[in-house]
Amino acid sequence: MALWQQPVTVELLTQMSADTAVSHLGIEFLEVGDDFLRARMPVDARTVQPMRLLHGGASVLLAETLGSCAALAACPPGHSVVGLDINANHVRGARSGWVTGVTRPVHVGRTTQVWAIEITGEGGELVCVSRLTVAVLPPRGEKRTT
């Protein structure tokens, strides 16, 4: 059974991300699974730092994009999410090609969610591991129950 409580497709995610940092960096959504999302990002002039390695901030942007999109799709309709914390460990550099991120749930609760994101290079080598914690917000005007 799929985790998603709201509609989520590659096309919908792409449409939502138009004219944002996501589209500016060339992030492409690839796959929606029963409990995961997959996207890729180019390692090019938009995403590298001065040493021509993938910028850690770009990796974090990919991670937060995947985790936030997944978290929203896992919420009841009308709810929204906001990031509380993100961390990232950059374990290997990438100089060219594409990196691919996959996010999977660690915890999907009523008021918080935690998502794990792994980013790999074209050869499958681990580039970055990240964890995102989000707060789940009820629809406007609806009081949160404790």
Side-chain angles (χ1 to χ4, degrees), residues 24-25 42-50 52-53 55 95-97:
H24 178 72
L25 292 185
V43 181
D44 64 15
R46 296 170 288 182
T47 60
V48 297
Q49 39 94 316
R52 298 297 177 222
L53 287 169
H55 195 292
R95 291 189 177 275
S96 63

Side-chain angles (χ1 to χ4, degrees), residues 120-143:
T120 57
E122 289 183 319
E125 66 281 3
L126 188 62
V127 172
C128 178
V129 293
S130 183
R131 188 180 64 214
L132 172 69
T133 304
V134 299
V136 177
L137 304 177
R140 289 193 181 272
E142 184 179 305
K143 291 187 179 182

Side-chain angles (χ1 to χ4, degrees), residues 2-139:
L3 173 68
W4 315 125
Q5 294 190 46
Q6 298 191 46
V8 59
T9 64
V10 167
E11 296 77 19
L12 184 59
L13 293 168
T14 301
Q15 181 181 14
M16 283 177 24
S17 300
D19 298 321
T20 68
V22 176
S23 62
H24 178 72
L25 292 185
I27 294 172
E28 299 176 359
F29 293 96
L30 300 173
E31 184 179 5
V32 176
D34 284 347
D35 68 346
F36 72 91
L37 298 181
R38 183 183 324 272
R40 70 181 188 162
M41 180 176 66
V43 181
D44 64 15
R46 296 170 288 182
T47 60
V48 297
Q49 39 94 316
M51 297 289 293
R52 298 297 177 222
L53 287 169
L54 178 62
H55 195 292
S59 294
V60 172
L61 193 137
L62 175 59
E64 186 157 6
T65 297
L66 280 165
S68 294
C69 288
L72 181 60
C75 287
H79 287 66
S80 59
V81 296
V82 294
L84 293 175
D85 182 67
I86 189 165
N87 68 48
N89 296 103
H90 308 288
V91 297
R92 178 174 282 115
R95 291 189 177 275
S96 63
W98 292 83
V99 291
T100 300
V102 177
T103 189
R104 294 184 188 279
V106 174
H107 164 74
V108 178
R110 188 172 42 81
T111 59
T112 62
Q113 296 182 19
V114 180
W115 291 83
I117 304 97
E118 287 193 354
I119 299 173
T120 57
E122 289 183 319
E125 66 281 3
L126 188 62
V127 172
C128 178
V129 293
S130 183
R131 188 180 64 214
L132 172 69
T133 304
V134 299
V136 177
L137 304 177

